[in-house]
């Protein structure tokens, strides 16, 4: 498996494209003015306390107040309140919590008005970014994420990621964490900590501890609401979470960003520093690596798959619905059941990619093609779980129902990524699919005609503009088809055709 991170920097924002074996699996955007990202910590002011909801609205500086539920306070919120009062004076500078006297933990079934009062200051962390008309979702159970571990202030707990399955490795990591854990802090070992030595874990812990101390220094004499600790920039955050041996390239068009990434890799993965490169071509970076094309073909309502199969993706207020269609797929399988399984397995891989690519959250219902055999439904379920295992966002998948429906819940922490892929119709008013999608459809239909040995000659009738594009230059699209399929396709310009209309004929 080959993983690449392509970073495009503009004057106001940065786009990050994560490719796995050349296929776009994640697309992120970081805007210079975005002040409310998941992981940011604010010194905020408590607003209205709602006993009926057992929650409070919190002013973090966003037009809509953030929402803090009692269950998101964390058991140690009394200790946090006490610490904030001491540090706010400017006289208390024991940020390591070594000698800090902890308060009693709150009752898990308690009432929020016993813990928080309107007007008081509180440290809160964003766990869900503002979405639509809602303000950010908040937690006062703070955590500072590093490369190998997460530091949790006011806790004594040591835990290991559930994705590490080896019991011996779990015990080893727990022993190491307990040996380096500073008093007053809990530690959560991340999946990437597997196999790491104590020196690597300790270095990462000290980096997180330094970030905590820097944050605490900003609390004194600070007006509320104020951001006092920012999550790492998106590039560093992606590298921290997914960097591994499969990374082969990190390419950016920005010299400053290249230097920053190299410096960060020196800390977390020095052996990979050499894979950071600067894009120097005159061709825009996203076009050079085929990302623009993949964006156009991946974000529409209809998503094409191999051999004519496709997905239809619909969004409602309550949930997302994905319909799997076999389309005009040529049937080489032995039976309808085998065809359904084949299409469903391809669709499962694409569904997993689409959820991560669009960052779809909440409830997702996938309508796969009906399969009658239990073993085939189990194959589909296991394959979907395997494909979703690469997704860092928390999710849960239920087995297929007898109607072929699979229900997925996926944590929603930021707005879904939505990109408009339609373009103005040059013939009449309105919009049409992007022309690049048309080319994929033509190629899909072409493969269908070529799969039939009876079709000796194939003719493609298209609008003159499309015909010119397909035949332009020595290394034309038609010539690439010839090299791939060993058959020459006759292309006929048709003035009567609308811009995106095409038709195949066999001779």
């Amino acid at each position: 498996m080959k993983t690449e991170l392509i970073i495009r920097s503009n004057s106001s924002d940065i786009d990050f494209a994560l490719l796995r074996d050349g296929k776009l699996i994640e697309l992120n955007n970081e805007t210079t003015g975005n002040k409310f990202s998941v992981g940011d910590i604010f010194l905020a002011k408590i607003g209205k306390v709602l006993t009926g909801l057992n929650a409070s609205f919190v002013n973090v500086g966003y037009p809509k107040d953030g929402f803090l539920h009692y269950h998101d306070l964390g058991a140690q919120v009394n200790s946090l309140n006490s610490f904030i009062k001491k540090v706010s004076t400017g006289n208390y500078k024991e940020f390591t919590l070594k000698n800090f006297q902890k308060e009693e933990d709150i009752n898990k079934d308690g009432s929020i008005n016993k813990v928080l009062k309107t007007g008081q200051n509180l440290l809160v962390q964003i766990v869900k970014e503002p979405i639509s008309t809602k303000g950010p979702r908040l937690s006062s159970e703070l955590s500072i994420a590093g490369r190998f571990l997460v530091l949790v202030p006011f806790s004594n707990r040591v835990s290991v990621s559930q994705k590490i399955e080896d019991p011996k490795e779990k015990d080893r990591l727990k022993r190491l964490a307990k040996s380096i854990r500073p008093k007053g802090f809990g530690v959560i070992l991340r999946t990437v900590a597997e196999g790491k030595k104590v020196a690597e874990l300790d270095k990462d812990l000290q980096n997180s501890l330094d970030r905590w101390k820097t944050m605490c220094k900003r609390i004194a004499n600070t007006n509320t609401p104020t951001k006092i600790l920012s999550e790492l920039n998106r590039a560093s955050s992606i590298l921290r979470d997914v960097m591994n041996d499969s990374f082969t390239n990190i390419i950016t068009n920005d010299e400053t960003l290249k230097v920053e990434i190299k410096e960060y890799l020196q800390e977390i993965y020095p052996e990979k520093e050499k894979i950071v490169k600067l894009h120097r071509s005159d061709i825009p970076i996203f076009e050079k690596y085929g990302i623009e094309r993949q964006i156009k073909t991946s974000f529409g309502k209809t998503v094409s798959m191999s051999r004519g199969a496709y997905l239809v993706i619909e969004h409602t207020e309550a949930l997302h619905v994905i319909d799997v269609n076999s389309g005009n797929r040529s049937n080489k399988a032995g039976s309808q059941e085998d065809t359904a399984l084949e299409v469903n397995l391809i669709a499962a891989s694409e569904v997993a990619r689409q959820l991560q690519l669009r960052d779809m959250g909440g409830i997702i219902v996938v309508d796969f093609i009906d399969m009658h055999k239990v073993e085939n439904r189990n194959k589909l379920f296991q394959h979907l779980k395997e494909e979703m295992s690469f997704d860092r966002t928390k999710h849960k998948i239920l087995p297929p129902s007898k109607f072929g429906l699979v229900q997925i819940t996926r944590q929603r922490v930021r707005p879904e990524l939505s990109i408009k892929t339609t373009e103005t119709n040059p013939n009449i008013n309105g919009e049409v699919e992007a022309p690049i999608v048309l080319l994929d459809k033509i190629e899909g239909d072409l493969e269908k005609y070529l799969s039939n040995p009876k079709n000796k000659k194939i003719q493609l009738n298209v609008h003159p503009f499309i015909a010119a594009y397909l035949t332009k230059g020595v290394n034309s699209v038609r010539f690439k088809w010839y090299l791939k399929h060993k058959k020459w396709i006759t292309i006929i310009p048709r003035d009567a055709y609308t811009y995106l209309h095409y038709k195949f004929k066999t001779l």
Side-chain angles (χ1 to χ4, degrees):
M1 187 185 296
K2 187 173 74 170
T3 308
E4 297 172 290
L5 180 63
I6 313 297
I7 308 172
R8 176 177 65 183
S9 178
N10 300 319
S11 57
S12 59
D13 55 6
I14 305 172
D15 295 307
F16 306 90
L18 193 63
L19 307 179
R20 186 175 291 133
D21 292 334
K23 201 159 190 179
L24 183 66
I25 59 165
E26 196 170 321
L27 189 65
N28 291 283
N29 175 269
E30 185 177 86
T31 306
T32 310
N34 184 20
K35 299 176 182 177
F36 302 92
S37 299
V38 172
D40 289 348
I41 297 177
F42 286 77
L43 184 63
K45 191 175 286 291
I46 300 299
K48 193 178 291 184
V49 178
L50 308 169
T51 52
L53 293 175
N54 208 14
S56 171
F57 287 113
V58 182
N59 181 9
V60 291
Y62 189 73
K64 293 274 187 180
D65 282 350
F67 184 79
L68 177 63
H69 194 271
Y70 182 85
H71 292 148
D72 294 321
L73 292 176
Q76 299 86 24
V77 68
N78 286 335
S79 298
L80 178 62
N81 279 330
S82 173
F83 180 76
I84 294 168
K85 286 176 185 176
K86 289 183 177 182
V87 175
S88 295
T89 62
N91 299 322
Y92 187 83
K93 297 183 180 178
E94 186 56 65
F95 303 141
T96 60
L97 306 182
K98 197 181 296 181
N99 301 312
F100 178 74
Q101 188 65 41
K102 286 177 64 178
E103 302 289 333
E104 188 179 345
D105 288 357
I106 63 171
N107 187 327
K108 65 176 183 179
D109 297 318
S111 180
I112 196 164
N113 61 350
K114 300 284 179 61
V115 183
L116 300 181
K117 303 296 178 189
T118 299
Q120 81 172 76
N121 292 340
L122 183 67
L123 285 174
V124 293
Q125 190 165 28
I126 293 182
V127 293
K128 185 189 283 187
E129 292 177 14
I131 297 175
S132 186
T133 59
K134 297 177 181 177
R137 180 76 184 252
L138 308 171
S139 170
S140 56
E141 192 169 18
L142 309 180
S143 61
I144 300 175
R147 167 75 173 150
F148 302 123
L149 50 82
V150 178
L151 199 63
V152 184
F154 309 106
S155 172
N156 295 317
R157 187 180 167 200
V158 173
S159 58
V160 182
S161 166
Q162 292 181 353
K163 291 184 179 179
I164 299 177
E165 296 176 352
D166 185 358
K168 290 182 180 178
E169 178 63 8
K170 278 191 170 185
D171 290 340
R172 184 188 77 88
L173 288 172
K174 272 191 177 182
R175 285 198 310 273
L176 294 182
K178 285 176 181 176
S179 69
I180 62 174
R181 180 184 70 84
K183 187 180 177 184
F185 291 88
V187 170
I188 303 169
L189 288 146
R190 309 183 73 183
T191 310
V192 287
E194 190 170 8
K196 300 301 176 185
K197 297 177 181 177
V198 67
E200 295 173 282
L201 299 179
D202 187 54
K203 182 183 176 184
D204 191 46
L205 186 145
Q206 293 305 320
N207 285 341
S208 295
L209 203 55
D210 288 342
R211 293 184 70 206
W212 163 260
K213 291 175 184 175
T214 303
M215 182 197 83
C216 292
K217 289 175 185 175
R218 295 174 181 159
I219 295 176
N221 305 315
T222 297
N223 296 324
T224 53
T226 304
K227 185 196 290 189
I228 57 173
L229 184 68
S230 293
E231 170 64 310
L232 297 175
N233 64 50
R234 201 72 189 126
S236 300
S237 176
I238 291 171
L239 293 176
R240 180 193 67 196
D241 293 344
V242 302
M243 187 69 186
N244 55 40
D245 290 335
S246 72
F247 267 77
T248 54
N249 279 314
I250 299 172
I251 303 166
T252 178
N253 60 347
D254 186 285
E255 180 75 51
T256 306
L257 201 53
K258 176 195 165 190
V259 173
E260 288 176 5
I261 293 170
K262 287 193 106 170
E263 287 175 353
Y264 185 64
L265 283 180
Q266 275 287 353
E267 291 180 20
I268 68 162
Y269 222 115
E271 58 267 39
K272 287 289 187 179
E273 183 197 350
K274 293 179 182 177
I275 69 172
V276 184
K277 299 166 188 171
L278 186 66
H279 175 73
R280 298 182 183 276
S281 171
D282 291 335
I283 302 172
I285 187 167
F286 269 25
E287 286 193 23
K288 173 79 174 175
Y289 296 96
I291 297 165
E292 290 288 6
R293 179 189 179 92
Q294 292 194 57
I295 289 172
K296 288 283 179 77
T297 56
S298 299
F299 278 89
K301 177 181 173 181
T302 303
V303 178
S304 299
M305 299 184 291
S306 59
R307 304 237 177 195
Y310 63 95
L311 302 178
V312 177
I313 303 176
E314 297 275 9
H315 309 281
T316 72
E317 187 68 28
L319 49 77
H320 308 278
V321 181
I322 302 176
D323 186 35
V324 178
N325 293 273
S326 59
N328 52 19
R329 184 180 179 82
S330 58
N331 186 7
K332 292 184 179 178
S335 67
Q336 185 178 346
E337 180 82 5
D338 292 340
T339 302
L341 176 62
E342 186 183 3
V343 173
N344 282 341
L345 292 177
I346 294 169
S349 300
E350 184 61 30
V351 165
R353 172 177 171 259
Q354 285 291 328
L355 297 186
Q356 191 173 351
L357 184 58
R358 302 188 189 210
D359 207 0
M360 292 162 64
I363 300 172
I364 301 106
V365 177
V366 188
D367 183 11
F368 286 100
I369 299 171
D370 289 352
M371 295 184 295
H372 302 293
K373 294 181 180 178
V374 175
E375 59 266 31
N376 285 343
R377 293 203 292 267
N378 287 336
K379 270 185 194 175
L380 172 62
F381 182 50
Q382 294 304 322
H383 180 70
L384 181 58
K385 284 204 297 185
E386 188 179 324
E387 292 292 308
M388 290 284 289
S389 66
F390 295 104
D391 194 342
R392 305 192 308 277
T393 303
K394 287 182 183 177
H395 60 270
K396 186 174 182 180
I397 309 168
L398 296 182
S401 71
K402 63 181 179 180
F403 300 115
L405 299 177
V406 171
Q407 298 171 69
I408 304 170
T409 59
R410 189 173 183 273
Q411 188 179 23
R412 182 185 295 173
V413 295
R414 55 180 61 88
E416 180 192 342
L417 183 60
S418 178
I419 296 176
K420 184 180 178 183
T421 58
T422 56
E423 298 179 7
T424 304
N425 190 333
N427 291 305
I428 56 173
N429 292 331
E431 293 182 331
V432 292
E433 284 183 316
I436 202 76
V437 178
L438 172 74
L439 297 179
D440 284 351
K441 286 184 175 180
I442 290 175
E443 287 190 37
D445 284 351
L446 177 61
E447 287 185 10
K448 174 191 167 188
Y449 281 97
L450 289 169
S451 65
N452 187 346
K454 294 181 181 178
N455 297 330
K456 301 297 182 185
K457 292 183 180 180
I458 298 174
Q459 184 184 97
L460 172 61
N461 298 268
V462 289
H463 187 279
F465 285 179
I466 306 298
Y469 175 80
L470 295 174
T471 57
K472 180 183 177 183
V474 178
N475 196 23
S476 65
V477 174
R478 176 168 60 179
F479 186 67
K480 288 177 182 175
W481 289 347
Y482 176 73
L483 294 177
K484 182 179 179 181
H485 303 292
K486 303 296 184 285
K487 185 168 281 191
W488 189 255
I489 309 301
T490 303
I491 296 177
I492 309 295
R494 296 291 300 275
D495 292 338
Y497 279 21
T498 56
Y499 191 54
L500 301 183
H501 181 204
Y502 67 91
K503 189 174 183 179
F504 279 101
K505 287 185 178 179
T506 55
L507 307 171

